[in-house]
Amino acid sequence: PLQHPGIRVEFVGSIEMMYESDLSHEFTSLLREVDEPGTITSTRTYSFAFPHVLKSYDTYSGTHVRLRYFIRVSVMRPQYTPNLVREFDVAVQHSFNEVAAALPPASPIRMEVGIEDALHIEFEYNKNRYELGDVVIGKIYFLLVRVKIKRMELEIRRRESAGAGSSVYNETDIIAKFEVMDGAPVRGESIPIRLFLSGYPMLTPTYTAINNRFTVKYYLNLVIIDHEDRRYYKQSEIMLWRAASSR
């Protein structure tokens, strides 16, 4: 038999800082008492519900921060005896159709990479805002090539900023790497780009100041590597969002 002073179930939404536990925060917490003090002598089933719970944010698991929703079941125990506690995670995803529709139309990105008298490249991407199932379409134009280029890559980088005040952790991860070209281009050449975002399940929407605890941004990073393994970069920020029909 198991004697207990009560059994409770909680629905919790929390933001957990991996390396700064003092900054962790429960932004949602609802409690249901499902049993009064008593004794359990056999298997028992309890029903509970949390209708109309506000779940404002997506579930997110990053390098320095994690946002999670979970059910916490606690069998209370007499004084000086640890409670019996188990947690069960719940995944939450939001679609942002209405938010995206309210934004200005997406615009193309046009930029240049140059080394004086040695290299001049123009490149463009079809837009600056992508749904997670979209395709990044672009072109690279070689206007001047006096550097022996070995290859060119396009990366998707995620920059996570977590924390507050002086305790802010910044981390940049390469989520995707796509080889645009292998070999030396010539002046006047044009290289097309097609990058299918649906092939990278680690991508999330862009998040800005979630509960004033963390921000997640994405960038397209063009990398040029020459025959001496020197690297030249050009980075462009993009916004990612999730449609109702997306993952």
Side-chain angles (χ1 to χ4, degrees), residues 21-176:
S21 59
D22 291 345
L23 295 176
S24 296
H25 170 63
E26 290 188 358
F27 57 87
T28 295
S29 181
L30 295 175
L31 175 65
R32 298 283 185 270
E33 301 283 354
V34 295
D35 201 357
E36 298 177 345
T39 303
I40 298 176
T41 58
S42 60
T43 301
R44 189 174 297 181
T45 301
Y46 299 95
S47 297
F48 64 89
F50 293 98
H52 314 301
V53 177
L54 186 63
K55 300 181 285 295
S56 302
Y57 312 118
D58 279 5
T59 302
Y60 175 76
S61 183
T63 305
H64 294 290
V65 62
R66 177 171 64 166
L67 191 153
R68 59 189 289 247
Y69 298 92
F70 57 92
I71 301 294
R72 179 190 291 144
V73 180
S74 302
V75 179
M76 313 308 290
R77 301 289 286 141
Q79 194 174 15
Y80 307 119
T81 305
N83 295 335
L84 303 177
V85 180
R86 288 197 64 182
E87 295 178 353
F88 304 88
D89 279 83
V90 178
V92 174
Q93 286 187 345
H94 295 85
S95 58
F96 298 94
N97 297 48
E98 294 180 2
V99 175
L103 294 172
S107 57
I109 298 174
R110 295 185 177 91
M111 302 185 75
E112 296 184 3
V113 177
I115 305 171
E116 189 174 359
D117 298 325
L119 181 68
H120 186 190
I121 296 174
E122 291 182 353
F123 63 93
E124 63 179 44
Y125 307 116
N126 60 328
K127 51 187 177 180
N128 61 353
R129 188 166 65 244
Y130 294 92
E131 200 277 324
L132 292 177
D134 274 348
V135 182
V136 176
I137 298 174
K139 277 190 176 183
I140 302 170
Y141 304 93
F142 294 89
L143 305 179
L144 177 65
V145 185
R146 292 177 181 167
V147 174
K148 291 184 178 179
I149 296 175
K150 183 163 62 175
R151 68 180 186 276
M152 184 180 298
E153 299 169 345
L154 181 63
E155 300 172 341
I156 300 178
R157 294 192 171 198
R158 179 173 68 198
R159 184 173 298 164
E160 176 188 284
S161 299
S166 60
S167 301
V168 176
Y169 295 88
N170 295 296
E171 188 76 22
T172 299
D173 295 309
I174 298 174
I175 303 300

